[in-house]
């Protein structure tokens, strides 16, 4: 159902009255005209104008409670990621026990580099279940900023404590699993240390690679594009500092 267009009938939102405010609140609704069973028709809506009794939208997430599923429907073109949907669910359901499957996924990471003589070295990692090299990154958690996610993921995966350099932010968009639409945000961070402590449950290998080594190792054009942008930014900052 992820990504499917549906029609929903809005239900009374009075049950939310008096609950703590959230940036975006879920309202109960029913999917109509889908030929599904009654339990499958239960839904939440988010982002629709107040006062609407019926609307068309897109299924952007599925709340799996084990026994039943409930869809989250938003206006077409609206983008919501797991952390904000989880926060909205917490307002609506208290502390729900659920698994959330989202149409839109967001990860954050960092292009970590260090100076080795006259060369730049970039930190590459290979995921345990992956077959390609990339930059350290991971999913955002509820309450985190993009920068906080990147710092945490680099620390967890490699043991490095980093500081984000201001002025660099690159995004990568792709579809890893059919309908799922993923955005990855990369920041830039310099490291004075080369010692790495891998998170063995997640990462198999690491490498401090030169720019040209990294280009050869990367499998995806998006990674090469981010690397080129990072090198260009670093060199430009270096030239500006010499003036």
């Amino acid at each position: 159902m992820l990504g499917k267009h549906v029609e929903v009938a809005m239900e009374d939102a009075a049950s939310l009255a008096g609950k703590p405010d959230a940036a975006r609140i879920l309202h109960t609704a029913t999917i109509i005209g889908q030929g599904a069973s009654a339990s499958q028709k239960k839904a939440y809506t988010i982002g629709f104008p107040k006062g609407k009794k019926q609307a068309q939208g897109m299924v952007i997430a599925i709340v799996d409670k084990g026994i039943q599923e409930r869809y989250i429907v938003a206006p077409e073109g609206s983008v919501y990621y797991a952390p904000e949907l989880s926060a909205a669910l917490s307002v609506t359901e208290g502390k729900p026990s659920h698994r959330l499957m989202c149409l839109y996924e967001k990860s954050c990471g960092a292009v970590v580099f260090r100076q080795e003589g006259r060369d730049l070295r970039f930190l590459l990692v290979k995921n345990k279940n992956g077959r390609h090299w990339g930059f350290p990154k991971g999913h955002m958690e509820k309450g985190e900023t993009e920068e906080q996610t990147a710092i945490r993921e680099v620390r967890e995966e490699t043991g490095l404590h980093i500081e984000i350099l201001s002025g660099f932010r690159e995004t990568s968009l792709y579809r890893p699993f059919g309908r799922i639409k993923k955005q990855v945000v990369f920041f830039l961070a310099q490291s004075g240390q080369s010692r790495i402590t891998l998170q063995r449950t997640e990462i198999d290998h690491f490498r401090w690679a030169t720019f040209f080594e990294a280009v050869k190792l990367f499998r995806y054009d998006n990674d090469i594009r981010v690397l080129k942008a990072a090198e260009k930014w670093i060199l430009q900052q270096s030239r500006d500092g010499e003036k």
Side-chain angles (χ1 to χ4, degrees), residues 192-206:
Q193 66 180 97
S194 59
R195 182 177 176 81
I196 301 295
T197 304
L198 290 181
Q199 184 184 24
R200 291 294 181 182
T201 56
E202 297 286 338
I203 305 296
D204 264 347
H205 303 286
F206 79 92

Side-chain angles (χ1 to χ4, degrees), residues 1 4-10 29-35 40-45 48 52-59 71 73-74:
M1 282 292 289
K4 294 287 186 183
H5 293 86
V6 296
E7 191 169 2
V8 290
M10 312 300 188
T30 301
I31 295 176
I32 56 179
Q34 293 298 307
Q40 291 174 318
K41 287 187 177 181
K42 291 297 182 182
Y44 289 120
T45 60
F48 288 99
K52 265 191 170 286
K53 293 183 178 180
Q54 200 165 307
Q56 292 186 338
M58 181 180 288
V59 178
Y71 304 129
V73 181

Side-chain angles (χ1 to χ4, degrees), residues 7-233:
E7 191 169 2
V8 290
M10 312 300 188
E11 297 178 6
D12 185 23
S15 60
L16 294 175
K19 292 197 174 182
D21 238 352
R24 301 177 183 186
I25 292 178
L26 298 173
H27 297 277
T28 55
T30 301
I31 295 176
I32 56 179
Q34 293 298 307
S37 68
S39 62
Q40 291 174 318
K41 287 187 177 181
K42 291 297 182 182
Y44 289 120
T45 60
I46 189 169
F48 288 99
K50 290 182 179 180
K52 265 191 170 286
K53 293 183 178 180
Q54 200 165 307
Q56 292 186 338
M58 181 180 288
V59 178
I60 60 163
I62 299 173
V63 185
D64 183 357
K65 299 183 179 182
I67 301 174
Q68 62 178 346
E69 292 181 345
R70 180 171 282 198
Y71 304 129
I72 299 179
V73 181
E76 185 172 1
S78 300
V79 177
Y80 295 86
Y81 295 107
E84 57 191 320
L85 291 178
S86 291
L89 275 169
S90 296
V91 173
T92 306
E93 299 187 343
K95 294 184 178 179
S97 175
H98 63 259
R99 187 165 67 96
L100 193 60
M101 295 168 282
C102 297
L103 178 64
Y104 300 102
E105 292 186 356
K106 187 174 188 178
S107 292
C108 301
V111 181
V112 183
F113 73 98
R114 63 185 177 88
Q115 197 81 34
E116 190 174 287
R118 306 186 87 182
D119 290 331
L120 292 173
R121 296 277 177 170
F122 297 92
L123 178 60
L124 311 186
V125 295
K126 184 184 282 188
N127 290 341
K128 193 173 183 64
N129 298 319
R131 297 181 179 178
H132 63 274
W133 291 90
F135 301 113
K137 63 182 184 298
H139 287 97
M140 291 186 73
E141 294 183 356
K142 188 168 68 173
E144 284 186 331
T145 65
E146 293 176 342
E147 292 88 346
Q148 287 170 340
T149 298
I151 291 169
R152 175 181 55 77
E153 286 292 339
V154 171
R155 184 178 67 251
E156 289 178 355
E157 291 187 354
T158 69
L160 289 180
H161 292 264
I162 62 167
E163 278 190 38
I164 302 295
L165 301 181
S166 62
F168 182 92
R169 182 183 182 275
E170 285 287 321
T171 60
S172 176
L173 301 171
Y174 60 99
R175 294 190 177 191
F177 309 111
R179 288 185 177 274
I180 304 298
K181 301 175 183 179
K182 184 159 187 174
Q183 180 190 59
V184 185
V185 178
F186 288 107
F187 297 97
L188 193 61
Q190 188 169 12
S191 174
Q193 66 180 97
S194 59
R195 182 177 176 81
I196 301 295
T197 304
L198 290 181
Q199 184 184 24
R200 291 294 181 182
T201 56
E202 297 286 338
I203 305 296
D204 264 347
H205 303 286
F206 79 92
R207 181 166 180 172
W208 286 102
T210 66
F211 173 84
F212 294 106
E213 289 171 340
V215 168
K216 290 181 180 179
L217 288 170
F218 282 150
R219 179 179 175 184
Y220 297 113
D221 291 340
N222 272 333
D223 291 326
I224 295 174
R225 177 182 57 78
V226 172
L227 175 68
K228 287 181 176 179
E231 186 202 40
K232 181 179 178 180
W233 191 92

